[in-house]
Amino acid sequence: MDHKLYIETPIYSSHKLKREQQKNIFYKLDCYQPTGSFKIRGMEELCRFHFEKGKKNFIASSGGNAGYSLAYVGKHIGVKVKVVVPKTTSAFMINKIANLGAEVEVYGNVWDEAHRYAQKISEETGAVYVSPFDDPLLWKGHSTIIDECAKQIQQPDKIVVSVGGGGLLCGIFEGMKKNGWKSTQVITTETTGAASFYKSWQAKEIIELEEISSIATSLGAKKIAEKSLELASHFNVKPITVSDKEAIDASFNFLDEYNVIVEPACGAALSVPYFYPELITENETVLVIVCGGANTEIKTLLSKK
Ligand SMILES: *Cc1c(COP(=O)(O)O)cnc(C)c1O
């Protein structure tokens, strides 16, 4: 079975930002993936790899887009998926995952507890433990974003990408290397309360955050994948942080521009063209990775505005 579950997503150039700011902004619309986010790319790569080795059981501990994409891929490939989520996970997301036939177990008050419990089950049962961001198979899958972009547009001057645990970022770096885009600058975005990459990059070593305090829950990894920091040292990287308010406002701006809801995690990247015009000059081309996110109910988003 070589049929791809993830789709080749379109790139649109922003007519709004061209007219208002004379800027050349390209949006890579992974919000249009069947699961609403790029996560499906890595999950498909990972699942197929293990499936071909005979694995039929998978377990994850993400109540967000990683668990959701794993459930989607598992359903279509025909493997069993269990997702352990902490009590903080919304009924909205639990239902979405359960609708795909995955087993959802609520365990622990915070993600770390659900994570340790899922790892224990994995050891006891032999189910494949699936990390939300720290696995070379995920990075390989995510790198297909840049493969597609390289067919769709000329090499951009800058790429803007949100960072949670750094899995997407590793994929972007891998794709840039593959496609000869190494000279492009990468602007990484996080919200101030989830700046695990920003802080680690400044310190030149992995810094573990004591807590996450951000609306952008999909960026809420206390500790980034080591590989993301290592790879970053070989690229031209400019990490920035944005406020929760900017991330939310950017999501609404994007809703107005394209009629699609994205998470504040994605809004963090969209904040650059909308609210940080000084980071982009008029003759530059900028590729913004619209990572998407299905974990946003419109009424929740409205209540945070
Ligand atoms: C997972 C996710 C991120 C962050 O990706 P990492 O690989 O953890 O850095 C950003 N935005 C959305 C919508 C996500 O689902």
Side-chain angles (χ1 to χ4, degrees):
M1 188 162 57
D2 61 352
H3 170 72
K4 283 195 186 70
L5 299 172
Y6 74 85
I7 63 165
E8 181 170 328
T9 54
I11 285 191
Y12 294 164
S13 64
S14 174
H15 300 299
K16 173 186 161 75
L17 295 170
K18 185 74 191 171
R19 175 155 174 260
E20 291 177 359
Q21 300 183 19
Q22 293 76 48
K23 298 288 170 61
N24 301 307
I25 308 296
F26 292 96
Y27 293 122
K28 176 62 172 168
L29 293 156
D30 255 36
C31 52
Y32 291 151
Q33 290 293 350
T35 56
S37 81
F38 70 94
K39 289 268 184 0
I40 186 174
R41 295 178 185 266
M43 288 300 168
E44 182 169 6
E45 181 70 34
L46 184 148
C47 262
R48 289 200 190 282
F49 176 88
H50 290 290
F51 180 69
E52 277 161 24
K53 297 207 156 12
K55 301 286 187 185
K56 298 273 162 57
N57 286 286
F58 294 74
I59 184 160
S61 56
S62 152
N65 294 301
Y68 181 49
S69 281
L70 176 66
Y72 182 91
V73 170
K75 180 180 181 61
H76 288 84
I77 290 182
V79 295
K80 255 187 81 190
V81 170
K82 175 167 175 146
V83 184
V84 180
V85 301
K87 285 178 193 155
T88 47
T89 310
S90 67
F92 173 74
M93 213 55 199
I94 289 177
N95 277 324
K96 276 197 176 186
I97 297 170
N99 288 344
L100 292 167
E103 179 191 345
V104 183
E105 183 175 348
V106 180
Y107 185 94
N109 291 310
V110 291
W111 179 76
D112 295 84
E113 287 171 26
H115 168 70
R116 277 198 296 275
Y117 179 63
Q119 281 191 317
K120 191 171 136 246
I121 296 176
S122 156
E123 279 157 28
E124 284 167 8
T125 64
V128 177
Y129 174 76
V130 182
S131 161
F133 57 82
D134 202 358
D135 191 316
L137 292 166
L138 296 177
W139 311 334
K140 186 178 174 202
H142 297 338
S143 77
T144 58
I145 290 192
I146 299 297
D147 296 340
E148 288 170 21
C149 292
K151 288 191 288 174
Q152 292 166 314
I153 57 168
Q154 301 275 314
Q155 179 179 5
D157 296 297
K158 292 175 177 169
I159 293 177
V160 184
V161 59
S162 288
V163 179
L168 174 58
L169 182 62
C170 284
I172 296 291
F173 286 145
E174 192 173 319
M176 288 171 70
K177 212 189 284 180
K178 232 191 298 178
N179 290 283
W181 280 14
K182 275 204 74 175
S183 57
T184 294
Q185 184 182 60
V186 179
I187 300 175
T188 65
T189 57
E190 293 163 288
T191 48
T192 24
S196 45
F197 180 79
Y198 182 86
K199 292 197 170 144
S200 299
W201 188 81
Q202 281 197 321
K204 296 191 167 62
E205 63 176 356
I206 303 290
I207 301 286
E208 181 166 0
L209 303 181
E210 270 165 33
E211 57 157 20
I212 300 291
S213 57
S214 175
I215 176 91
T217 49
S218 292
L219 303 185
K222 288 185 183 169
K223 216 171 129 188
I224 53 166
E226 280 180 24
K227 188 75 177 177
S228 63
L229 190 62
E230 185 200 316
L231 285 173
S233 68
H234 301 291
F235 286 81
N236 175 0
V237 177
K238 182 179 175 60
I240 69 158
T241 59
V242 306
S243 67
D244 272 9
K245 182 173 178 355
E246 286 167 331
I248 294 167
D249 287 348
S251 295
F252 277 101
N253 280 8
F254 195 73
L255 175 59
D256 288 342
E257 205 179 340
Y258 289 102
N259 311 308
V260 54
I261 299 172
V262 296
E263 285 182 23
C266 176
L270 296 167
S271 295
V272 170
Y274 289 135
F275 307 129
Y276 292 83
E278 69 276 12
L279 291 177
I280 303 167
T281 62
E282 283 185 16
N283 48 16
E284 281 175 340
T285 56
V286 176
L287 172 63
V288 181
I289 306 296
V290 184
C291 49
N295 197 354
T296 338
E297 233 173 327
I298 186 69
K299 62 181 187 228
T300 312
L301 199 60
L302 280 168
S303 73
K304 310 278 180 180
K305 200 171 158 64

